[in-house]
Amino acid sequence: MASMIAAISLLIALVMSASNTIASTPSSQAASSDIATTLQEMQRARYFTFVMLIRMVQHKIPHNTTFLMPNDRLMSTALIPQSQMLDFLSRHSISAPLMFDDLIRFPNGTLVPTHHSSEMITVTNIGHQKLYFNDVELTSPDLCHLEAFRCHGINGVIRPTATRRGKGATCSRYVAPTSAPPETPSAANQSMGTSPLPSPNTGYASIPAQQPAAESPQSSHTSVVQIGMACTTLMTALMFCIF
């Protein structure tokens, strides 16, 4: 009975987990409808070139995205090979749907992940409702209003940067400590026969292996006597237990 109840509970948990997963994953029809609505909002804001690029790789655009859109005049100055269109859009896409009120809360210097596999965006927040992404100013906030997609207009094209995801970018204010010169052994240490630790540029000093000390006849005789006494005690105990 208890095993049956446990099996039923496990089955219910699996069904609920599966239903939650299905509910949280948008269907292809809903995703297509959301991106279509978002593109219409971009067109109403007159970002036609950016819309054209999205349409060409629309099936590769993930949900939960914030687009940073240069206007048509700026896009006309960008040279985008057909093989790099998705990289261009990924570099202008933040991996979360963020409104301007969300972005303005980022501290100055925050690194924000993009949909590009290896690049991040540095947020510069100077206050007074001024935000910059890799030194490109956000000029037209909250142009898209669906929960799955947000978009903002910017006054420049975000270029590839040296800030790489997973590379452990170093902070410009950090100064690496300089290595101290190897310490010269004192006369006292030399007289005692001790050698300094090997430096990184030198090999390890060879240390002669210590030979095991020869066992004295007296210690060997003592060990034999102790073993004999232990055997005698054990035999006595066994006899006592039998009789």
Side-chain angles (χ1 to χ4, degrees):
M1 185 66 179
S3 60
M4 183 179 298
I5 294 175
I8 294 174
S9 301
L10 179 59
L11 179 61
I12 293 174
L14 291 174
V15 171
M16 292 181 64
S17 177
S19 62
N20 290 337
T21 302
I22 295 173
S24 61
T25 304
S27 63
S28 58
Q29 183 177 1
S32 178
S33 176
D34 288 346
I35 191 65
T37 303
T38 300
L39 293 178
Q40 291 175 359
E41 292 178 325
M42 292 179 180
Q43 287 178 323
R44 283 196 292 267
R46 308 185 68 82
Y47 288 85
F48 300 110
T49 306
F50 201 86
V51 170
M52 180 185 66
L53 292 181
I54 291 180
R55 288 191 187 279
M56 298 180 72
V57 291
Q58 180 173 335
H59 61 287
K60 297 181 180 180
I61 302 298
H63 256 54
N64 300 324
T65 296
T66 297
F67 295 106
L68 304 175
M69 307 181 300
N71 59 32
D72 288 351
R73 179 181 61 82
L74 295 168
M75 292 288 291
S76 66
T77 65
L79 298 177
I80 310 172
Q82 184 175 1
S83 60
Q84 297 181 10
M85 285 189 301
L86 185 60
D87 286 344
F88 179 88
L89 291 174
S90 298
R91 194 176 297 116
H92 289 75
S93 304
I94 298 176
S95 307
L98 300 174
M99 300 177 63
F100 181 76
D101 287 343
D102 302 319
L103 296 170
I104 203 67
R105 294 188 176 94
F106 287 154
N108 187 33
T110 300
L111 290 176
V112 179
T114 67
H115 281 304
H116 197 281
S117 59
S118 62
E119 295 194 18
M120 303 183 76
I121 292 176
T122 302
V123 178
T124 303
N125 188 346
I126 63 174
H128 307 289
Q129 304 294 304
K130 289 287 186 180
L131 281 179
Y132 295 83
F133 302 96
N134 287 6
D135 299 327
V136 176
E137 184 180 3
L138 188 153
T139 54
S140 302
D142 295 333
L143 299 177
C144 305
H145 302 91
L146 289 182
E147 292 185 0
F149 296 102
R150 302 291 182 180
C151 58
H152 312 278
I154 56 177
N155 70 344
V157 174
I158 297 177
R159 305 293 179 182
T161 62
T163 304
R164 301 287 177 176
R165 186 180 305 181
K167 296 288 185 179
T170 58
C171 178
S172 59
R173 296 182 180 178
Y174 175 75
V175 179
T178 57
S179 58
E183 182 181 357
T184 303
S186 63
N189 288 338
Q190 292 179 354
S191 63
M192 293 175 62
T194 58
S195 59
L197 292 176
S199 64
N201 297 326
T202 60
Y204 288 98
S206 59
I207 301 175
Q210 295 181 356
Q211 299 295 332
E215 186 177 0
S216 62
Q218 183 178 0
S219 60
S220 176
H221 177 71
T222 303
S223 301
V224 173
V225 172
Q226 291 178 349
I227 294 173
M229 292 179 64
C231 292
T232 303
T233 304
L234 180 60
M235 292 295 295
T236 304
L238 289 175
M239 294 294 293
F240 180 76
C241 293
I242 293 174
F243 297 103

